[in-house]
Amino acid sequence: MKIIAIETSCDDTGIAILKQDKKIKVLADFLSSQNDIHATYGGIHPSIAKREHAKNIFSVFFSALKKAHLLKKGTTKIHPETEIILERYPELLEKLKDFFTKYEKPDLQKIAVTVGPGLEPCLYVGINFAKAIALNWDLPLIPVNHLEAHILVNFIEKKEENIFPALALILSGGNTKMFLIEEIGKYKELGSTRDDAIGECFDKAARLLNLPYPGGIEIAKRAKKVKKSQFKLPRPMLHSNDYDFSFSGLKTALFYELKGKTLDKNEVNEMCFEIENAIKEVVVKKTERAIKEFPLNSILIGGGVSSNKSIQKALKDLAKKNKLKLLIPKYTTDNAVMIGVSAILSPKLNLCDKLKANSNLNLND
Ligand code: KG4
């Protein structure tokens, strides 16, 4: 079985093709990143992100089919509804129609697409593109929850034994969530951020320090250059009696700390070290709390911030101390491979024409 997966929930246009035998194999994995475009705003601009998805999705799709050796010369009879589905993206519609006059249905059995959470206009580019393909190639269309995908991608290479019950941490640019997994498909949310997401905090802090977007990578790079910091920032909600996070206070504290000052290079490095430490300590403390409260076999992490080496090391130490497994995925930042993996491991109903974006989709929706 071969599946094509589409991800457009935020600022990355991703398309992957996976093959499922006994194992899941990645045949193609393409991503068009908009980082350079959004860098000028220091964050993601939704209408620009939508426009870029519509502009780039076809070439990402074509590259993925080519890489997976699935382009087959011939024709696909164009379904008249294609025009309606893609009417908001006229250039994309033309490219797809032209493609259908040159290529026939490839050896694909399913389509998977992210339906939420994410930026609604962006989600709809992926959903409508997926609908058009599903209709013309008569393929089932599987909706995928982006959060679930960030965690299930941990299982792409091997099916580990005795993973559940597990604690999952989603640490990304748009989400900060902790939840318990009883088994795949059975989730209980423990907590989430009350304001900024963890990656958003890294990005906003970097902006205050005049560092480029995405800020998390820049802060991590500079934090590594020092071993201590003269600065002290708050650890918001460190001792709160719950699993919620709050990161906007950290950004505000940084704003006041920087007011009227010009930091030299070493001071910037020390500030980055302090920002990373403040964020890390909160994540570790909340994780430790969950370990004490719930019987667990493992900790699974996912999302762009989970690629942070300092946070990974702290969680590794914590897992080791508590004799728990820690699973760190190869695919941390947004990608389409995880969407395909999630559709394979936790398939939802084929909803094709009823499919809707849900920017606030919850794990059990
Ligand atoms: O999961 P992701 O690709 O997409 C969104 O949800 O947007 O995460 C992107 C986020 C950005 O905020 C970026 O600054 C952060 O992940 N990030 C990092 C690192 N690499 C990416 N944050 C801290 N340390 C890193 N090494």
Side-chain angles (χ1 to χ4, degrees), residues 4 12-13 19 26 42 74 107 131 164 187 204 223 225 228 237 243 251 254 263 268 284 287 293 315 319 333 359:
I4 183 162
D12 293 306
T13 316
K19 184 176 178 192
V26 179
D107 174 24
K131 274 184 182 175
F164 305 116
Y187 311 111
K204 287 180 174 170
K225 295 184 180 166
K228 59 179 175 39
M237 298 187 74
Y243 296 99
K251 167 198 69 193
L254 176 66
L263 303 192
V268 170
V284 170
T287 308
E293 186 172 346
L315 290 174
T333 46
S359 52

Side-chain angles (χ1 to χ4, degrees), residues 85-327:
I85 295 171
L86 293 178
E87 67 181 345
R88 287 182 193 189
Y89 326 96
E91 281 177 35
L92 176 59
L93 173 65
E94 285 318 307
K95 283 182 202 162
L96 195 63
K97 274 166 56 181
D98 180 56
F99 172 81
F100 284 147
T101 60
K102 294 178 184 148
Y103 298 96
E104 65 181 55
K105 179 182 173 177
D107 174 24
L108 280 170
Q109 286 70 44
K110 278 180 191 169
I111 303 191
V113 67
T114 310
V115 292
L119 302 169
E120 207 166 291
C122 298
L123 289 164
Y124 269 120
V125 179
I127 291 173
N128 288 324
F129 187 67
K131 274 184 182 175
I133 296 167
L135 184 70
N136 283 282
W137 286 343
D138 193 22
L139 296 175
L141 179 51
I142 316 294
V144 172
N145 182 315
H146 182 87
L147 297 177
E148 188 179 20
H150 265 309
I151 291 302
L152 295 187
V153 75
N154 273 293
F155 302 120
I156 185 171
E157 265 149 19
K158 46 189 177 229
K159 201 159 169 53
E160 303 233 8
E161 301 295 317
N162 301 323
I163 294 292
F164 305 116
L167 176 73
L169 302 180
I170 296 183
L171 310 171
S172 77
N175 293 284
T176 316
K177 280 195 191 292
M178 285 181 77
F179 54 95
L180 289 175
I181 311 182
E182 205 180 301
E183 59 185 69
I184 291 178
K186 280 196 180 167
Y187 311 111
K188 181 177 176 231
E189 187 167 316
L190 297 179
S192 148
T193 184
R194 295 188 182 174
D195 38 58
D196 292 350
I198 189 166
E200 195 181 351
C201 178
F202 270 112
D203 295 338
K204 287 180 174 170
R207 200 174 177 195
L208 289 172
L209 288 166
N210 291 318
L211 300 176
Y213 175 84
I217 298 164
E218 296 297 325
I219 288 180
K221 208 160 72 186
R222 283 165 181 79
K224 234 172 35 192
K225 295 184 180 166
V226 290
K227 298 235 162 346
K228 59 179 175 39
S229 176
Q230 60 183 294
F231 302 106
K232 193 74 196 154
L233 293 169
R235 272 75 176 140
M237 298 187 74
L238 188 71
H239 299 294
S240 69
N241 222 5
D242 54 33
Y243 296 99
D244 282 345
F245 298 85
S246 164
F247 291 107
S248 74
L250 182 56
K251 167 198 69 193
T252 311
L254 176 66
F255 174 79
Y256 285 109
E257 184 68 42
L258 294 174
K259 216 170 176 189
K261 285 189 194 130
T262 312
L263 303 192
D264 66 24
K265 219 171 165 184
N266 193 56
E267 286 170 331
V268 170
N269 293 344
E270 288 193 20
M271 191 58 94
C272 289
F273 181 86
E274 176 61 7
I275 295 163
E276 189 178 68
N277 266 351
I279 294 174
K280 178 175 70 184
E281 275 178 40
V282 180
V283 170
V284 170
K285 190 83 182 171
K286 300 273 171 185
T287 308
E288 206 169 10
R289 201 178 134 74
I291 293 173
K292 284 192 185 126
E293 186 172 346
F294 303 102
L296 298 170
N297 281 340
S298 58
I299 303 169
L300 314 180
I301 62 174
V305 180
S306 73
S307 61
N308 181 289
K309 296 286 178 237
S310 177
I311 295 176
Q312 285 186 1
K313 162 92 174 58
L315 290 174
K316 262 183 209 161
D317 292 346
L318 184 66
K320 195 171 170 203
K321 193 172 127 199
N322 289 280
K323 299 189 173 60
L324 298 175
K325 286 180 194 149
L326 173 71
L327 272 65

